[in-house]
Amino acid sequence: MDDSNQLSLSQVAAFQQEGYLVDQVLFRADEVAAFGQAYSACLTHLAGMGQLASIRDGQLDDGTATQVYQIRAAHLQHKLFDDLIRDSRILDRVACLIGPELKVILCQGLYKPPHTGGEVHWHQDDYYFRVSGDRPVVSCWLAFDDATGDNGCMWVLPRQHDRLRDHETLGSGYAMSGVDASQAVALELAAGQVMFHHGATPHRTLANTTHSQRRAMAIHFMDATAQPLG
């Protein structure tokens, strides 16, 4: 483990208390540009194969369909993303939060096109993952474009990662019911910057209302000694 990649004790304590941690820009501009090119190539390839599906569907006020596209198992779609899930700048930080024995549950590209990139409602990742053990699932969310309040950055509810909340079926997924969003915090990130969040931290993203795309990669890690609960 590289000391320069480790989180400080205060950062770990902040993650444990708040349920999330906004970290620094970890990837150089040239790396981010290469990731972006690989991302676009994956989107084009999946679309050509008829395998690019929207994970959320909705409509704008004028009836225009909205989409959020997923590059599922992105590490199997491009070598750069396979390298990314093994990058020590990410792994060493995650190890500070849940220990050195790590397993990737899911690596997904989440793409919001200009204007039609829709909302992903409040949810908790652990509602899907259901992993046993004392250590939480940790998700690393990496921005490939500047993520802002206008183009669909992540919002979280701090200090609400103590338990799983009720969810209801909504389209092809689930959404938390009865959410009080008055304490929600927007996590705006620069391209190449990362944030980490606890598997039970409620989070959402709003619509992309800008002329620019919003590309991000979410890599979800678990303690490799734990087991899925079903």
Side-chain angles (χ1 to χ4, degrees):
M1 182 179 290
D2 187 335
D3 289 346
S4 66
N5 292 333
Q6 294 192 51
L7 298 174
S8 67
L9 293 178
S10 62
Q11 286 178 305
V12 173
F15 174 87
Q16 293 171 342
Q17 177 173 287
E18 301 296 329
Y20 72 94
L21 175 70
V22 175
D23 204 353
Q24 59 189 299
V25 174
L26 295 184
F27 296 91
R28 303 184 310 270
D30 62 305
E31 292 177 298
V32 174
F35 290 146
Q37 291 173 359
Y39 204 102
S40 296
C42 289
L43 291 172
T44 300
H45 173 72
L46 290 172
M49 298 289 290
Q51 297 176 0
L52 185 63
S54 176
I55 61 171
R56 290 290 187 277
D57 296 302
Q59 286 188 334
L60 301 177
D61 291 340
D62 63 2
T64 302
T66 62
Q67 300 91 20
V68 178
Y69 293 111
Q70 178 180 202
I71 305 175
R72 189 170 177 84
H75 61 295
L76 302 180
Q77 300 292 337
H78 201 285
K79 184 181 184 302
L80 280 184
F81 300 143
D82 188 58
D83 293 340
L84 183 62
I85 67 171
R86 308 167 200 280
D87 194 295
S88 61
R89 287 168 287 186
I90 293 175
L91 293 183
D92 288 356
R93 285 169 164 80
V94 176
C96 290
L97 299 173
I98 58 173
E101 296 188 63
L102 301 176
K103 179 178 181 179
V104 171
I105 303 174
L106 178 64
C107 174
Q108 55 183 165
L110 297 170
Y111 174 63
K112 292 196 176 191
H115 298 296
T116 58
E119 179 179 359
V120 176
H121 298 284
W122 288 110
H123 65 283
Q124 296 166 295
D125 290 341
D126 270 353
Y127 193 84
Y128 292 87
F129 297 147
R130 306 261 180 178
V131 174
S132 68
D134 298 329
R135 292 173 174 167
V137 167
V138 169
S139 297
C140 172
W141 204 89
L142 167 60
F144 291 160
D145 304 292
D146 291 347
T148 69
D150 292 327
N151 73 3
C153 74
M154 185 179 290
W155 292 70
V156 298
L157 292 175
R159 304 189 183 194
Q160 295 195 29
H161 55 293
D162 56 317
R163 60 184 175 85
L164 292 182
R165 268 61 175 182
D166 292 333
H167 287 60
E168 58 188 5
T169 302
L170 188 66
S172 59
Y174 299 98
M176 286 175 55
S177 52
V179 176
D180 176 5
S182 62
Q183 303 301 312
V185 176
L187 306 182
E188 295 189 320
L189 301 180
Q193 190 173 8
V194 301
M195 61 84 65
F196 301 95
H197 70 86
H198 189 290
T201 294
H203 58 286
R204 72 173 179 191
T205 59
L206 296 179
N208 181 0
T209 62
T210 73
H211 296 292
S212 302
Q213 61 189 340
R214 194 233 64 187
R215 297 166 297 177
M217 187 70 70
I219 311 172
H220 309 278
F221 295 92
M222 64 179 279
D223 176 1
T225 65
Q227 295 294 324
L229 297 178

